[in-house]
Amino acid sequence: MKNDPETGGVRRRLEAAAESLVYSSEGDHPFHYLELAVGADRWPPSPAAFAEMVAAGRGEQVEEIELHEFLARHVERVDPLDSAAQALRPRYDALRHTLRTELDDLRVFRVGQVRVRCYALGIDPATGRVVGLETLAIET
């Protein structure tokens, strides 16, 4: 059913998977759908090229990490005594699965230091556009 227009496409499936989930750090921030004005011909970018794509400030730190590392705090490293977080583990695992299966050449970038913008993006096979989810992590 991947990229079936009847079900609303990649955007709808990503938004459904992320609905009501937050990225927890020193603050909780929702995931938002994002489409970059970049085609598959410019993907995957180097960290420097990605900084340009998202208009990162001069000298802002940009790093690429693995998807499992990005969501580990919600799946593998959840406090075993936090029953609410434990109850949400399957939803974060499903979000990770949706990102992996819906997007080609999935990449995760972190931009910034204290207010870290996080992007999980890849190619929408139906359109050839770079799409995915973004959120914010606060790390002091």
Side-chain angles (χ1 to χ4, degrees):
M1 192 180 301
K2 185 174 181 178
N3 299 314
D4 178 1
E6 297 287 323
T7 62
V10 169
R11 179 179 185 154
R12 183 171 172 185
R13 288 187 290 277
L14 290 176
E15 288 178 334
E19 186 176 357
S20 75
L21 294 178
V22 295
Y23 189 78
S24 295
S25 56
E26 291 179 35
D28 294 337
H29 296 276
F31 294 90
H32 299 285
Y33 179 82
L34 176 68
E35 182 174 323
L36 295 181
V38 174
D41 59 324
R42 292 186 51 207
W43 197 259
S46 67
F50 186 77
E52 287 181 28
M53 289 177 188
V54 296
R58 184 177 185 154
E60 244 185 324
Q61 179 179 323
V62 179
E63 68 174 328
E64 184 175 356
I65 63 172
E66 296 294 324
L67 179 64
H68 73 271
E69 182 181 349
F70 174 56
L71 292 175
R73 70 179 62 206
H74 298 288
V75 180
E76 289 89 12
R77 294 192 306 251
V78 177
D79 180 349
L81 301 177
D82 184 341
S83 60
Q86 287 292 334
L88 287 172
R89 281 179 67 196
R91 293 218 35 232
Y92 284 100
D93 197 37
L95 173 60
R96 182 167 53 187
H97 176 76
T98 300
L99 285 163
R100 280 186 183 138
T101 58
E102 293 294 334
L103 302 176
D104 291 341
D105 208 357
L106 176 65
R107 306 296 170 128
V108 177
F109 288 93
R110 293 170 38 91
V111 179
Q113 290 179 307
V114 175
R115 293 179 57 82
V116 182
R117 295 176 314 208
C118 303
Y119 303 87
L121 302 167
I123 305 297
D124 175 345
T127 66
R129 294 190 173 152
V130 177
V131 302
L133 299 174
E134 68 174 328
T135 189
L136 180 68
I138 305 298
E139 300 174 354
T140 57

